[in-house]
Amino acid sequence: MSIKAKDFEHTVDFYKNFGFEIVHSWSLPDFNLEKCVMLHNRAINYYLEICDENAAIPTQGRKRRPDDEYIENALLHICFVVKDADAARKQALEYGAKDLSQGLFELDLSNGTKTIPVRNSLVYSPNGEVIEFLEKIDFG
């Protein structure tokens, strides 16, 4: 996943607090991209790319050229599996996130045949993307 950051350094620092580390950085002048980094969280083997806000790269919800078709944004949220969803939410709030779930959700995901209990919480990162903290469950 790739994020366009309003405040590049602050966004990178926010995710570094959750165990991500920079594994590569670059720029692409042809796309007005001054700064971009690839972060990796080894514990969950997840890669996250963060680019500066002026990058002229194609994104969903934004036309790159006037003749391009508008595409509605498909990203709903980022989901991280954690041991304790409420503790992760509180940690994110300490790092500058805004509370979205106002605590812990306990839900039953049912399809008529099988019901899976879920415990999660949600925040807005300082950059604005929605992050779900989902306690480890077995969908099998």
Side-chain angles (χ1 to χ4, degrees), residues 1-5 8 11-12 14-15 20-21 23-24 26 35-41 44-52 57-60 73-81 123-125 127-133:
M1 178 159 74
S2 182
I3 295 172
K4 187 183 276 192
F8 182 82
T11 301
V12 170
F14 177 79
Y15 285 100
F20 284 87
E21 60 183 284
V23 294
H24 189 63
W26 66 94
K35 297 184 273 187
C36 197
V37 296
M38 182 64 71
L39 300 169
H40 182 240
N41 184 309
I44 59 174
N45 194 25
Y46 190 86
Y47 286 91
L48 179 63
E49 178 182 30
I50 299 177
C51 302
D52 70 87
I57 54 178
T59 63
Q60 287 192 333
N73 190 343
L75 175 66
L76 297 177
H77 61 268
I78 304 168
C79 181
F80 297 128
V81 176
V123 299
Y124 290 109
S125 84
N127 192 57
E129 59 273 8
V130 175
I131 301 172
E132 174 185 11
F133 297 110

Side-chain angles (χ1 to χ4, degrees), residues 56-112:
I57 54 178
T59 63
Q60 287 192 333
R62 175 176 168 243
K63 294 181 178 185
R64 182 161 175 238
R65 298 180 305 247
D67 60 331
D68 284 347
E69 183 179 333
Y70 176 82
I71 301 170
E72 184 176 343
N73 190 343
L75 175 66
L76 297 177
H77 61 268
I78 304 168
C79 181
F80 297 128
V81 176
V82 298
K83 289 181 183 177
D84 184 330
D86 198 43
R89 178 186 66 85
K90 289 174 183 172
Q91 183 181 20
L93 297 176
E94 289 176 17
Y95 296 142
K98 291 188 169 75
D99 206 349
L100 177 56
S101 61
Q102 305 296 316
L104 185 69
F105 286 124
E106 296 188 36
L107 308 165
D108 288 327
L109 304 181
S110 180
N111 62 11

